[in-house]
Amino acid sequence: MLLASAIFLVALGLRWLHFHEVALHDPYYALPTVDDLQYDAWARRLAAGDGFPDGVLYLGPGYPLFMAAIYALFGATLPAVKAVQVVLGAGSCVLVFGLSRELFDRRVAAIAGLLAACHAMLVFYGGTLMTVNLKVPLVLGTVWALLRAFRHPSFVGFAISGLLLGLATLVQQTILLLAPLVVLWTLFGAKSDDPLVRRSGFAACFAGAVFACILPITVHNAVTGDDFVVLNSMGGPNFYMGNQRKADGTWQVPDLGSRLRADNPDEMQRQLEAAAERATGRSMRPSEVSSYWMARGMDEIRADPLRWLGLEIRKLGLHFNAYEVWNIRAVELSQETSWVLRLPLATMGFIAPLGLLGLLLSRDRWRALVPVYGVILVYLAASLLFFVLARYRLPGVLMLVPLAAFALVRIGEALLAREGRWLAGWGAALALLITVVHLPLESSEGRMHMAYYNLANKYRELERWDEAIAAYQKSLRLVPGAVSTHNNLALAYELGGRREEAIREWRIVAEIGRRQRDRGRVERAERHLEALAAERPVRTP
């Protein structure tokens, strides 16, 4: 209890300090971004008692339900959600301690808990409105509950495990792939003296609890959307995005032959549906749209299987790579607003090689580790099927933390016992794993222009014109011809009262628009130039 309390306090302290820093310096603190806009809108509806929007859901319902509960208790403010996440994140570190204690000993559990407490990405995500903040504790809780259920089988234990997995599935349905693995292991793999009938009862309790969590959403989709969709309808589009011809293993917006607003999930959903209906010449239900994009993804694979095989190898590397792939917020930028993130915290580059080494060193315990293996494999499979993002892979790679702690303890024992041959052999294996994990497969170099662009947009929402202008300028230094960045920089100049700079930027927007044959851009730029010439500001983008 003392160790668990210490880990909780260390984790809570780091997360609260980071929360304080972002509250002071980060423009994202009180503003929703991308998916958060939908989650916030849904949560407000739920807190008001209006339920989910009619129709088939296209985002997981778990996170808006979580937000709605917080809104009902503390008021509908985004900082309230982040404050609760700080405490929940600290609790997740105790869960890492607990499941590590279940698998190994107190030494391993203490190191694993501290690694989780000081995990840079866990600290970073606590200051964001992202589903990973709820997904992580639910997945960790599921694994711990399964470890205990397999060690001390009971109907209640399996029901609790299923309930936690069901709740985690409501946040993101990827983890549902664990359910059949657990059922099969319960029936045929787990070492147990219980007869098959009793084990079947355990499996039924587990599966029934999972089903009970999911069923209300399936019914909602069927009743209000007139379609059978288990949870949400983005499986097919995500599969296509991850396997299309231009895919590189990370999140890539599909080319739909029209200007797609990637920063707006509602618009993306409409564009995906419209493109599918144009191609088929008929109206389509959400499940049919998903099936259409799944088939398109399979067509891309069949068209060039060697390209796809290379893509899968790259996804495998990215999944365990030290680089944290992002598509909305870059941790590198957040380090500028929070000194906590500049501390020497634990990173994927440190945990992954040690965790993979621990995976090898703990092979004689493989039966006990089956739930851990299952989560690692499920999230690896999701990366291979779709694409790699840091926040998507995090629950899976967190399973490496107890294994990394075990490896550190075993290395320490070998050093004390002067096991030279063991250290030489496994030291070489560790060196190889470190090299592989740090291969330069991806970097922020080609992405930072979007990070600065997103940051500038937030400053602009807050009417902090000078900071918005500086961030847009940094983005343009990286990608000089980005018309959207020039457009928003022109707006920031204009609304900030810098007339001459605004005129110059709107002329650039008009010029790029003419080159790209984008009549809308040209007309908008000309409208602003006319207003500026008459010295009356135009406030519509």
Side-chain angles (χ1 to χ4, degrees):
M1 180 62 72
L2 186 61
L3 268 176
S5 299
I7 288 166
F8 179 81
L9 290 174
V10 170
L12 184 64
L14 282 171
R15 283 152 181 77
W16 197 261
L17 288 169
H18 174 63
F19 178 68
H20 178 261
E21 285 295 293
V22 297
L24 290 175
H25 307 297
D26 193 337
Y28 286 95
Y29 172 68
L31 296 173
T33 62
V34 196
D35 293 353
D36 310 345
L37 290 166
Q38 274 62 44
Y39 290 137
D40 177 60
W42 290 7
R44 290 174 186 274
R45 283 178 56 97
L46 290 165
D50 295 331
F52 285 109
D54 289 344
V56 172
L57 302 183
Y58 59 87
L59 294 173
Y63 196 60
L65 285 167
F66 166 72
M67 292 176 67
I70 296 171
Y71 287 177
L73 289 172
F74 305 111
T77 67
L78 302 184
V81 178
K82 294 181 181 181
V84 171
Q85 288 176 171
V86 165
V87 180
L88 192 61
S92 296
C93 302
V94 178
L95 291 175
V96 172
F97 170 84
L99 70 87
S100 301
R101 184 70 183 86
E102 199 75 32
L103 289 167
F104 301 107
D105 59 25
R106 287 173 63 83
R107 297 172 302 168
V108 173
I111 294 171
L114 286 173
L115 283 175
C118 301
H119 194 298
M121 296 306 290
L122 288 178
V123 175
F124 164 64
Y125 283 129
T128 69
L129 285 172
M130 292 188 181
T131 59
V132 67
N133 291 292
L134 183 58
K135 188 165 45 178
V136 162
L138 287 173
V139 171
L140 289 171
T142 299
V143 173
W144 193 5
L146 284 171
L147 290 172
R148 295 185 68 84
F150 285 130
R151 181 167 291 183
H152 308 290
S154 71
F155 294 109
V156 172
F158 278 97
I160 291 172
S161 302
L163 176 64
L164 289 169
L165 181 60
L167 292 174
T169 302
L170 293 181
V171 181
Q172 188 185 33
Q173 63 189 45
T174 300
I175 192 62
L176 186 59
L177 294 172
L178 184 66
L181 300 180
V182 171
V183 169
L184 290 172
W185 182 251
T186 303
L187 290 174
F188 308 113
K191 192 175 181 180
S192 173
D193 297 329
D194 293 308
L196 181 60
V197 172
R198 186 172 171 82
R199 281 181 275 141
S200 298
F202 294 152
C205 281
F206 172 81
V210 175
F211 180 72
C213 290
I214 295 172
L215 181 61
I217 305 303
T218 308
V219 171
H220 167 88
N221 290 336
V223 172
T224 68
D226 192 28
D227 198 4
F228 178 74
V229 175
V230 175
L231 278 174
N232 66 65
S233 60
M234 283 301 291
N238 282 334
F239 181 76
Y240 176 74
M241 282 188 271
N243 296 280
Q244 62 182 312
R245 206 159 306 171
K246 70 172 186 176
D248 65 356
T250 66
W251 188 84
Q252 296 286 332
V253 181
D255 182 6
L256 303 179
S258 61
R259 185 169 173 264
L260 178 66
R261 292 173 59 195
D263 60 343
N264 186 322
D266 278 338
E267 181 65 20
M268 177 178 284
Q269 185 73 7
R270 285 191 290 269
Q271 294 273 12
L272 288 164
E273 180 182 343
E277 291 180 346
R278 282 197 304 271
T280 59
R282 62 183 179 87
S283 63
M284 304 176 77
R285 293 181 297 176
S287 62
E288 294 174 317
V289 173
S290 183
S291 297
Y292 168 83
W293 289 109
M294 181 70 73
R296 282 281 305 273
M298 291 302 301
D299 289 342
E300 295 281 288
I301 293 170
R302 284 191 290 266
D304 193 346
L306 288 179
R307 174 203 65 84
W308 179 77
L309 180 61
L311 175 64
E312 291 300 285
I313 293 171
R314 177 175 166 79
K315 288 180 187 177
L316 175 63
L318 283 171
H319 184 80
F320 293 105
N321 196 258
Y323 177 69
E324 302 285 0
V325 181
W326 56 272
N327 71 327
I328 300 172
R329 295 199 59 188
V331 67
E332 293 94 332
L333 277 192
S334 291
Q335 289 171 344
E336 297 178 8
T337 58
S338 173
W339 61 265
V340 178
L341 295 178
R342 298 196 293 271
L343 294 174
L345 301 174
T347 65
M348 184 66 173
F350 178 78
I351 291 169
L354 283 168
L356 293 171
L357 180 66
L359 196 67
L360 299 173
L361 294 176
S362 61
R363 60 195 182 280
D364 59 329
R365 304 168 185 248
W366 69 271
R367 281 189 172 275
L369 286 163
V370 162
V372 173
Y373 296 158
V375 174
I376 291 173
L377 287 174
V378 162
Y379 280 96
L380 175 59
S383 290
L384 295 175
L385 279 170
F386 304 111
F387 42 78
V388 180
L389 279 179
R391 67 182 189 274
Y392 287 177
R393 74 176 180 179
L394 185 58
V397 299
L398 269 182
M399 293 298 106
L400 295 175
V401 169
L403 298 169
F406 176 74
L408 286 171
V409 168
R410 183 64 187 91
I411 290 169
E413 291 174 342
L415 287 170
L416 290 174
R418 298 181 181 179
E419 300 176 34
R421 183 174 297 179
W422 188 95
L423 287 168
W426 288 107
L430 180 59
L432 178 61
L433 289 169
I434 291 171
T435 302
V436 171
V437 165
H438 285 86
L439 288 174
L441 299 179
E442 190 66 43
S443 74
S444 286
E445 184 178 347
R447 301 171 181 269
M448 287 304 290
H449 70 285
M450 282 304 302
Y452 283 115
Y453 175 77
N454 293 336
L455 180 67
N457 286 340
K458 291 302 161 191
Y459 281 131
R460 188 162 62 87
E461 284 185 54
L462 295 169
E463 298 186 358
R464 292 161 61 173
W465 308 119
D466 290 343
E467 290 161 300
I469 288 165
Y472 285 131
Q473 289 172 337
K474 288 179 181 178
S475 180
L476 286 171
R477 280 197 287 272
L478 296 171
V479 181
V483 64
S484 294
T485 311
H486 279 290
N487 182 94
N488 289 5
L489 175 57
L491 284 170
Y493 276 138
E494 184 174 339
L495 296 173
R498 295 166 63 168
R499 181 173 175 275
E500 295 305 318
E501 290 101 324
I503 290 172
R504 184 190 67 223
E505 281 301 317
W506 282 122
R507 285 172 177 166
I508 294 172
V509 172
E511 180 185 346
I512 296 174
R514 291 187 189 98
R515 287 203 305 267
Q516 296 179 349
R517 298 181 180 179
D518 187 337
R519 181 177 297 178
R521 291 277 190 198
V522 174
E523 290 177 352
R524 185 182 302 115
E526 290 176 345
R527 188 170 70 250
H528 280 267
L529 286 168
E530 289 173 6
L532 286 165
E535 295 190 343
R536 55 181 178 83
V538 175
R539 291 187 172 269
T540 56

